[in-house]
């Protein structure tokens, strides 16, 4: 299949749309999360059993990208009916009851958490109700390995429309939309494109940053796995507007499925003439290649990424010159992240004015968040900018697991901060998050409850940045290591009051003097937790106590003699024989023998053992 | 051709397929690790020669990126996710349990060469946190108590093989 003109694209899209609307389509999530819980077997069973029932010509089944509702996976959708936690064994019942007898399988429907009633349709589920899906528009809805599916959803129409506009008009449309970079810093995308367009030089590059290294964030991966063409098409639009003819997608080698889907999509688009020479019969030519990362968080920084594409150590370059003037192979380059590109086609098709109506004054459009941690509904959510954290966590996420209390929300990953419960009503946008000491980041949102120790969390992030610091500049290489050592000292119960002052001072210096974004933001997890949870730091330092009961060196296990009946169960199970006592007499723990493993608490049937 | 020659020929023909050798170090290392499972000093020197760059530069790149290993991994490579979502749901405890049961540290391999242990950053299956991946197969919602079961499964697979 080769598409030579815009008319051919329109004709194909029309016939595909008609064909799709008449079918019964079974969609099974084949994102990394659901694949980990047997969705490949579910797909296989559909294939075998549809054939067995002689339905393989009437019913089509397909893998799709992530539906976002990972907590309830694997997910299967039969037209509009949404089944959750499906196992390979359930496939026959779905075919027999739903497809043949026309009765949806009640027991596999999602049940509303408050009413307990079964919810049939996707749109009525609490998790989806408040979402607005622009970047994720096709995720979970199309077969990511089918170009036809994408074209049936107006795919490549935005590229066709752009090629009929002048490059400057395309840039103006993006500028008008108010779209800002979704990778973290929030630089206006249209302005970035304009600088690259105005840079002198015949050879230019368009890059896509798919090096999603933020631990606990999986937005970009889901877009690439679920709708790879949306990124490819947007890169082509960008290339046309800045005058580039070559694109590179830099992607983590740890995302094999996304790599495979991108390779497939690039191959199909090239065969269809949507990439390559003289696209749609115009003078515009564009090709894309993949460049695999090799596990270095710093490569998410744009100049480190370019060094890595060039086969070098991924160390940042000094800016200026900025990549728009002097980027990959010293040529002018535009670089955006996956989610930014995923917003481009809808902006071109619906207009910049449409997009700029969504969101807040300075932050337009929507943002995708990877909601994870101690939350009931783990998953991917896309909400308009300006939605409050409370809405995301308590309405879409349906609150905290096991009925615990929320302590903090971490956004921005290792570069961000912990937001306390009292800031939950703050509308989410770039500026508001910075004003409370965190940042948008790429969209990781980790929910923490009363059992999480904020000092321990800060230490966790510092461990990460110390490990990932490339070592080029001293403040980041040495400074962060010193911060980590101080935190370790505090968590081990050896903290002094002057350490708290040092943490703050050194943190500020590292922010001011580091070369790249990694070092400039690395102290944020410490500074923000010190700002909002100073009482926890003080408890560690002054009282040698960890209020959340996480820091092992500060814990003491004690037996309440009024509750202990002397059943000896704890003593029998203690791996270090730290518990002694006679039968039917209250037992005691010898603190210097205790390794704080927690076995005794688990074994005690009388709640006589406490930790604190 | 013996196995060694075959592997080397595969790597060489891959490197020879580039139209330019500029910027091809990382892709060549990926290929070599695919073939050999790890990047020995000899292989690093070989790639350096083939690409016409100093061996020190190759070593510099290999040790910069955590994806590249310079020692062989165990038959079953256990990766405990230490992404934030898994961390707050107790993956540090799971990692500790693997360490104590296998009697190796992170980055180590058991003496019989069966298991190696690593911590990784986010597999992206946060809905199943905490997550452990063994040779790419993801085990979800792992608790301390599940660790011996996971290990026994692979050990018994080995015994029957």
């Amino acid at each position: 299949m080769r598409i030579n003109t815009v008319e051919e694209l329109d004709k194909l899209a029309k016939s595909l749309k008609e064909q799709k609307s008449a079918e019964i389509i079974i969609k099974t999530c084949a994102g990394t999360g659901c694949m980990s819980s047997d969705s490949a077997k579910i797909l296989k069973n559909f294939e075998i059993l549809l054939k067995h029932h002689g339905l393989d010509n009437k019913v089509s089944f397909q893998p799709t990208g992530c539906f976002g509702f990972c907590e309830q996976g694997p997910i299967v959708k039969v037209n509009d009916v949404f089944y959750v936690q499906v196992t390979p064994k359930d496939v026959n019942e779905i075919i027999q009851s739903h497809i043949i007898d026309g009765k949806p399988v009640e027991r596999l429907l999602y049940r509303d958490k408050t009413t307990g009633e079964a919810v049939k349709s996707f749109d009525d589920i609490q998790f989806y109700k408040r979402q607005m899906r622009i970047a994720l528009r096709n995720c979970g809805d199309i077969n990511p390995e089918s170009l036809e599916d994408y074209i049936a959803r107006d795919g490549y129409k935005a590229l066709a429309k752009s090629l009929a506009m002048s490059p400057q008009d395309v840039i103006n449309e993006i500028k008008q939309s108010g779209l800002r970079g979704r990778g973290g810093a929030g630089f206006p995308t249209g302005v970035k494109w304009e600088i690259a367009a105005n840079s002198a030089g015949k050879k230019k590059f368009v890059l896509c940053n798919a090096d999603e290294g933020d631990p606990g964030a999986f937005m970009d991966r889901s877009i690439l796995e679920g709708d790879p063409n949306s990124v490819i098409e947007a890169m082509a639009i960008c290339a046309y507007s800045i005058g580039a003819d070559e694109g590179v997608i830099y992607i983590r080698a740890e995302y094999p499925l996304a790599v495979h889907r991108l390779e497939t999509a690039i191959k199909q688009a090239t065969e269809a003439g949507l990439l390559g020479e003289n696209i749609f019969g115009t003078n515009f030519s564009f090709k894309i290649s993949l460049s695999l990362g090799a596990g270095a968080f710093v490569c998410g920084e744009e100049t480190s990424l370019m060094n890595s594409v060039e086969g070098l150590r991924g160390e940042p370059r000094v800016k200026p010159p900025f990549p728009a003037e002097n980027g990959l192979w010293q040529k002018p380059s535009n670089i955006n992240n996956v989610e930014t590109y995923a917003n481009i086609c809808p902006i071109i098709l619906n207009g910049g004015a449409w997009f700029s109506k969504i969101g807040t004054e300075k932050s337009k459009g929507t943002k995708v968040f990877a909601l994870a941690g101690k939350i009931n509904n783990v998953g991917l959510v896309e909400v308009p900018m300006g939605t409050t954290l409370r809405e995301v966590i308590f309405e879409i996420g349906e609150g905290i697991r096991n009925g615990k209390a929320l302590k903090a929300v971490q956004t921005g990953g290792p570069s961000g901060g912990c937001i306390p419960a009292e800031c939950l009503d703050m509308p989410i946008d770039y500026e508001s998050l910075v004003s409370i000491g965190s940042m948008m980041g790429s969209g990781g949102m980790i929910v923490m409850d009363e059992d999480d120790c904020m000092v321990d969390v800060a230490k966790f992030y510092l461990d990460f940045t110390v490990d990932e610091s490339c070592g080029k500049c001293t403040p980041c290489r040495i400074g962060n290591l010193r911060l980590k050592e101080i935190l370790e000292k505090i968590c081990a119960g050896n903290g002094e009051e002057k350490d708290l002052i040092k943490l703050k001072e050194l943190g500020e210096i590292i922010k001011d003097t580091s070369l790249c974004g990694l070092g400039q933001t690395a102290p944020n997890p410490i500074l923000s937790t010190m700002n909002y949870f100073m009482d926890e730091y003080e408890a560690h330092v002054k009282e040698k106590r960890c209020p959340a009961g996480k820091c092992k060196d500060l814990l003491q296990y004690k037996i309440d003699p009024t509750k202990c009946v002397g059943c000896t169960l704890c003593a029998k199970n203690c791996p270090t024989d730290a518990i002694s006592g006679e039968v039917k007499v209250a037992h005691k723990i010898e603190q210097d023998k205790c390794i704080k493993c927690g076995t005794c608490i688990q074994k005690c049937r009388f709640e006589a053992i406490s930790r604190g | 051709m013996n196995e060694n020659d075959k592997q080397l020929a595969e790597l060489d023909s891959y490197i020879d397929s580039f139209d330019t050798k500029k910027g091809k170090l990382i892709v060549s290392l990926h290929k070599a690790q695919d073939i050999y499972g790890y990047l020995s000093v000899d292989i690093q020197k070989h790639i350096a020669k083939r690409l016409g760059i100093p061996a020190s530069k190759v070593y510099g790149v290999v040790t910069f990126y955590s994806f590249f290993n310079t020692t062989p991994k165990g038959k079953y490579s256990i990766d405990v996710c230490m992404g934030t979502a898994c961390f707050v749901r107790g993956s540090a405890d799971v990692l500790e349990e693997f360490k104590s049961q296998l009697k190796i540290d992170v980055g180590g391999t058991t003496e019989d060469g069966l298991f190696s242990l690593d911590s990784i950053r986010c597999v992206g299956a946060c809905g199943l946190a905490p997550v452990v991946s063994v040779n790419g197969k993801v085990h979800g919602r792992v608790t301390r108590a599940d660790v011996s079961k996971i290990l026994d499964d692979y050990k018994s697979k080995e015994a029957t093989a």
Side-chain angles (χ1 to χ4, degrees), chain B residues 134-145:
Chain B
V134 184
N135 286 1
K137 156 107 180 99
V138 173
H139 300 259
R141 304 195 173 108
V142 178
T143 62
R144 248 190 141 120

Side-chain angles (χ1 to χ4, degrees), chain A residues 205-473:
Chain A
F205 289 98
V206 169
L207 288 102
C208 173
N209 184 348
D211 189 52
E212 185 172 50
D214 181 352
F218 51 100
M219 302 75 50
D220 294 349
R221 204 210 56 219
S222 292
I223 293 172
L224 294 170
E225 285 179 3
D227 192 14
N229 276 294
S230 68
V231 175
I232 294 169
E233 184 184 358
M235 285 177 75
I237 293 171
C238 173
Y240 171 71
S241 74
I242 70 164
D245 65 352
E246 203 177 329
V248 179
I249 301 175
Y250 184 85
I251 180 165
R252 297 178 76 193
E254 293 90 333
Y255 283 177
L257 191 59
V259 171
H260 166 73
R261 299 238 163 108
L262 271 174
E263 281 171 344
T264 309
I266 291 172
K267 190 166 163 267
Q268 290 175 353
T270 309
E271 281 165 5
L274 298 166
L275 286 177
E277 303 293 320
N278 303 105
I279 297 166
F280 289 125
T282 65
N283 289 330
F284 174 64
S285 302
F286 183 60
K287 61 176 181 184
I288 294 183
S289 59
L290 294 188
S291 179
L292 290 197
F297 178 68
V298 70
C299 289
E301 198 280 337
E302 53 190 15
T303 58
S304 305
L305 184 151
M306 288 170 191
N307 277 341
S308 186
V309 173
E310 293 178 15
L312 308 170
R313 287 164 70 98
E315 288 169 351
R317 303 172 183 173
V318 177
K319 292 190 272 192
F322 289 93
E325 290 154 349
N326 186 334
L328 183 63
W329 303 114
Q330 284 83 52
K331 305 291 180 208
S333 307
N334 180 73
I335 177 161
N336 291 119
N337 95 322
V338 172
E339 191 188 334
T340 314
Y341 282 126
N343 277 295
I344 297 293
C345 298
I347 292 174
I348 297 291
L349 288 177
N350 303 316
W354 160 79
F355 192 81
S356 71
K357 284 197 196 106
I358 307 161
T360 64
E361 193 197 337
K362 287 185 177 161
S363 303
K364 302 298 186 189
T366 57
K367 179 75 193 86
V368 183
F369 290 101
L371 199 53
K374 308 274 183 69
I375 182 120
N376 277 320
N377 293 339
V378 169
L380 270 195
V381 302
E382 182 172 357
V383 288
M385 295 274 191
T387 307
T388 64
L389 283 165
R390 187 181 301 283
E391 287 169 312
V392 173
I393 293 163
F394 288 93
E395 292 183 24
I396 297 172
E398 297 195 82
I400 313 303
R401 289 176 99 83
N402 307 323
K404 300 244 176 182
L406 177 134
K407 184 187 264 184
V409 186
Q410 211 280 346
T411 69
S415 306
C418 291
I419 301 165
E422 55 264 34
C423 296
L424 280 185
D425 291 309
M426 174 83 85
I428 305 166
D429 68 16
Y430 291 98
E431 279 72 25
S432 67
L433 287 176
V434 171
S435 77
I436 51 175
S438 187
M439 66 183 280
M440 183 77 81
S442 57
M445 193 179 270
I446 313 278
V447 177
M448 298 173 186
D449 69 12
E450 51 197 291
D451 296 337
D452 290 307
C453 165
M454 291 296 114
V455 186
D456 187 48
V457 167
K459 186 161 77 76
F460 166 78
Y461 279 112
L462 250 286
D463 263 340
F464 180 87
T465 33
V466 165
D467 201 31
E468 294 292 344
S469 171
C470 77
K472 184 168 179 172
C473 76

Side-chain angles (χ1 to χ4, degrees), chain B residues 23-44:
Chain B
K24 298 296 188 215
L25 175 56
I26 291 178
V27 283
S28 305
L29 293 171
H30 272 297
K31 183 73 185 178
Q33 186 159 300
D34 268 355
I35 297 172
Y36 293 95
Y38 74 108
L39 300 166
S40 66
V41 172
D42 285 342
I43 284 300
Q44 293 179 46

